[in-house]
Amino acid sequence: MPTITLIPGDGIGPEITEATVAIMDAAGAGLDYDEQHAGLTAFREVGDLLPETLVDSIRETKVALKGPLTTPVGEGFRSINVTLRQKFDLYQNLRPCRTIPGVRSRFSGIDLVLFRENTEGMYSGFEIYDARNGIADAIARISRAGSERIIRAAMEYATRFGKEKVTIVHKANIMKESSGLFLKTGMDLAKEYPHLKVEDRIIDNMAMQMVMYPERYEVVVTTNLFGDILSDLAAGLVGGLGLVPGANIGDDVAIFEAVHGSAPDIAGMGLANPSALLQSAIMMLRYLELDEVADRIEKALFATLAQPDLVTKDLGGPCSTEAFAENVIKHLG
Ligand code: NAI
Ligand code: MG
């Protein structure tokens, strides 16, 4: 029976984690959970934002399911999410966005996967503030090796799942060295994958393209900041942040989490949609090669989501987080 590290997180984190665990247990996933706290919750409990016990637990289990963690804006501590991704070298941030039959959304027929580089770029953490002159600098480090491994992951994924097209997103017209290196690395790598159609798009054009013609994109790979923004955009195309899962994957460790944050505006009110975390859990079960139970949960989730009177308020339904989880459990075959 595999043990995973379970991090409920801040804000809506505990509510959606509870719902997700209840569904996995009801489906007979048979996981053991080592519950650990990080971020503000951990700080309140043990005075540490990233306790060593949590790091040790992930080192041992190698797989974690994580609720969102709050990060103060413009001041205070550095994001624990970013720290965890860098600490475990989780260089792939995989974010699948697809329209789910029956769910209210602006488009249909979207099935795209975003690969976001997760350890460097604008989020490298090299920021300097010169207080005397009121000037702040940020260094967006891009490395050939870092670019190559994320773009290769995207091309391998496209190959494995029979996708035809990989789109590399950049701003190499302006950031000629950094974004240029990412693009050049991708185009060099494309020669190893002659069966794939590899194209590139400049980020601003891509934002427009994804809103106008999202069905044209299959596998999209980009640097950290652009990937962060485009993945929220993609979530908006398929019904909102309550629906889109994510995985942070390295060579040794993987942490599964929703794309959305801790949603302090609705925390503790039973309004959160657990579907994004639940789908992250489904990705985790597949990563653990528990495909059968993953498929069963996914089927129950999609059957529930297709019925407007069984879903949460963000999708126009009447249900609380808990009631929605019960509805999914009722649909488990
Ligand atoms: P957010 O994603 O938490 O919320 C944006 C909007 O979407 C809010 O109106 C919220 O109510 C709604 N929303 C999000 N998830 C939902 C769900 N499951 N069901 C229904 N509605 C949902 O983004 P925001 O407000 O910018 O960030 C809040 C905090 O979360 C910040 O401290 C931020 O740093 C943190 N954050 C953490 C992430 C992580 O742990 N991986 C990722 C993104 C943000
Ligand atoms: Mg984000």
Side-chain angles (χ1 to χ4, degrees):
M1 200 184 271
T3 302
I4 65 145
T5 302
L6 185 70
I7 308 163
D10 303 318
I12 58 171
E15 301 161 63
I16 57 176
T17 305
E18 195 181 324
T20 298
V21 166
I23 295 165
M24 284 198 292
D25 288 351
L31 299 180
D32 277 335
Y33 306 103
D34 181 14
E35 188 170 320
Q36 297 287 339
H37 297 281
L40 290 177
T41 312
F43 191 77
R44 258 180 245 121
E45 280 173 6
V46 294
D48 193 349
L49 289 161
L50 190 59
E52 210 40 50
T53 48
L54 169 118
V55 174
D56 288 344
S57 170
I58 297 177
R59 242 182 226 128
E60 199 172 313
T61 63
K62 302 198 185 302
V63 178
L65 182 66
K66 183 187 139 308
L69 299 172
T70 298
T71 309
V73 174
E75 54 174 25
F77 60 86
R78 186 155 185 254
S79 162
I80 300 300
N81 301 310
V82 174
T83 307
L84 277 172
R85 292 166 190 168
Q86 290 176 345
K87 195 174 200 73
F88 290 105
D89 202 21
L90 307 174
Y91 62 92
Q92 302 176 37
N93 191 333
L94 186 66
R95 297 181 156 183
C97 276
R98 57 185 163 157
T99 34
I100 299 171
V103 173
R104 196 175 60 180
S105 67
R106 288 182 174 267
F107 295 91
S108 59
I110 300 176
D111 184 4
L112 67 85
V113 177
L114 216 132
F115 280 77
R116 162 188 173 192
E117 201 292 323
N118 218 14
T119 52
E120 47 183 36
M122 270 312 239
Y123 296 179
S124 299
F126 302 127
E127 285 202 305
I128 312 146
Y129 180 51
D130 170 357
R132 200 155 48 127
N133 296 305
I135 297 173
D137 291 304
I139 297 173
R141 172 167 292 169
I142 303 286
S143 67
R144 177 175 282 280
S147 303
E148 187 172 324
R149 63 182 182 172
I150 184 68
I151 299 170
R152 189 180 288 287
M155 291 181 177
E156 286 294 326
Y157 179 96
T159 303
R160 179 147 49 101
F161 293 102
K163 309 283 182 185
E164 285 170 10
K165 190 164 78 167
V166 175
T167 307
I168 301 171
V169 179
H170 62 89
K171 189 74 188 180
N173 50 331
I174 307 294
M175 293 146 73
K176 292 183 195 293
E177 296 302 337
S178 55
S179 218
L181 178 59
F182 188 78
L183 175 60
K184 171 147 196 345
T185 305
M187 286 308 173
D188 287 347
L189 213 51
K191 294 176 194 136
E192 292 180 34
Y193 297 85
H195 54 284
L196 295 175
K197 179 173 175 341
V198 178
E199 57 171 27
D200 76 286
R201 290 278 182 280
I202 296 175
I203 176 67
D204 35 356
N205 175 31
M206 184 64 178
M208 186 275 288
Q209 296 274 335
M210 272 177 65
V211 171
M212 300 274 296
Y213 317 110
E215 68 286 348
R216 289 186 189 170
Y217 296 94
E218 291 179 274
V219 177
V220 176
V221 59
T222 190
T223 45
N224 209 333
L225 172 65
F226 297 158
D228 192 3
I229 297 169
L230 282 188
S231 53
D232 271 39
L233 188 155
L237 300 173
V238 298
L241 281 169
L243 289 172
V244 180
N248 303 282
I249 299 178
D251 289 333
D252 191 37
V253 166
I255 301 180
F256 296 82
E257 64 178 336
V259 166
H260 65 70
S262 55
D265 54 334
I266 57 166
M269 297 161 73
L271 291 173
N273 183 351
S275 300
L277 187 67
L278 182 60
Q279 289 184 84
S280 311
I282 292 170
M283 290 172 82
M284 176 185 76
L285 292 168
R286 295 202 171 114
Y287 178 88
L288 292 167
E289 296 179 356
L290 299 170
D291 291 272
E292 209 175 298
V293 70
D295 291 348
R296 188 136 42 90
I297 296 172
E298 187 175 68
K299 228 172 117 201
L301 173 66
F302 286 7
T304 309
L305 286 173
Q307 299 173 66
D309 53 335
L310 298 187
V311 299
T312 45
K313 296 218 167 65
D314 57 309
L315 299 179
C319 295
S320 66
T321 311
E322 207 183 331
F324 176 77
E326 281 161 17
N327 293 335
V328 175
I329 289 170
K330 277 184 210 144
H331 282 83
L332 288 167

